[in-house]
Amino acid sequence: MAREIWKPGNMLYPLPVVMVSVADREGKANIITVAWVGTVCTNPPMVSISLRPERYSSPIIKDTGEFVINLTTRQLAFATDYCGVKSGREVDKFKELGLTPLSAKEVQAPLIAESPVNIECRVRQVMPLGSHDMFLADVAAVHADEKYMDENHKFHLDKAEPIVYSHGAYLVCGEQLGTFGYSVKKK
């Protein structure tokens, strides 16, 4: 099987695509779309996001040390794209998109009410890495929309139709192929 060799680059796709909400010290909120986001540790719960330092939200996060990761869905696809291409320097994205800011429990940055999951974060460390700064953060609280809970209190994120980002496109997550451990489960 033939393979093309490309220069080194980031080809880890698809990626979760999230909307990160922030608020400056005066309370002015912004939303930025981020695809470079990931789980770092279970105990203590930690995540990371990577942003270009020139992005409007980057110095806000550096100053406040807080942000909220808001998971995205099919319903939020337009807003997700808009928040990635429009700057908070010029537009109030909450107002422009009709998104609802909610007060967080542990941080000053707002949650996005339309998101099925909101993850409140406090920055532990900022690592300048070149084109991007990585914000390593502790998870301070997690909010899950009750409309995706069943009668046994099990959360069904699939019902929210989460989206991912791959090579410039937003894709809806699809069909379940198995569950953790199904490959070794006794029949």
Side-chain angles (χ1 to χ4, degrees):
M1 186 180 273
R3 298 274 180 190
E4 248 184 65
I5 298 175
W6 295 348
K7 68 178 183 166
N10 295 314
M11 289 298 294
L12 186 60
Y13 287 107
L15 299 164
V17 60
V18 301
M19 292 191 293
V20 172
S21 48
V22 301
D24 65 19
R25 294 201 183 270
E26 288 74 48
K28 182 181 178 198
N30 188 49
I31 306 166
I32 183 171
T33 299
V34 179
W36 293 11
V37 58
T39 298
V40 175
C41 188
T42 301
N43 191 12
M46 296 171 64
V47 294
S48 71
I49 62 171
S50 293
L51 301 177
R52 291 184 180 273
E54 62 271 13
R55 296 297 297 259
Y56 177 70
S57 293
S58 186
I60 295 172
I61 296 171
K62 285 178 184 171
D63 180 50
T64 64
E66 300 178 341
F67 59 89
V68 176
I69 294 173
N70 302 276
L71 299 191
T72 57
T73 63
R74 177 191 293 268
Q75 182 182 2
L76 290 169
F78 181 88
T80 301
D81 184 64
Y82 186 92
C83 291
V85 296
K86 289 291 192 175
S87 174
R89 287 181 185 93
E90 290 116 29
V91 65
D92 178 339
K93 297 176 195 177
F94 275 100
K95 182 180 176 188
E96 199 66 29
L97 294 165
L99 295 173
T100 311
L102 293 177
S103 294
K105 179 177 179 262
E106 300 292 331
V107 301
Q108 294 304 306
L111 314 177
I112 299 173
E114 292 77 9
S115 172
V117 176
N118 319 92
I119 305 167
E120 297 183 47
C121 302
R122 284 201 183 95
V123 176
R124 177 185 283 222
Q125 185 178 359
V126 180
M127 291 175 256
L129 300 174
S131 63
H132 288 68
D133 290 340
M134 185 173 80
F135 295 86
L136 183 63
D138 293 300
V139 174
V142 177
H143 304 255
D145 191 330
E146 291 179 350
K147 76 180 174 184
Y148 301 109
M149 303 269 188
D150 67 19
E151 60 280 350
N152 297 319
H153 205 66
K154 181 178 178 187
F155 188 67
H156 295 275
L157 182 59
D158 58 309
K159 303 257 190 266
E161 297 185 284
I163 61 174
V164 295
Y165 181 80
S166 183
H167 300 279
Y170 302 100
L171 308 168
V172 175
C173 294
E175 150 189 21
Q176 179 177 312
L177 303 176
T179 58
F180 180 77
Y182 84 102
S183 63
V184 296
K185 190 175 182 180
K186 292 186 180 178
K187 296 184 175 148

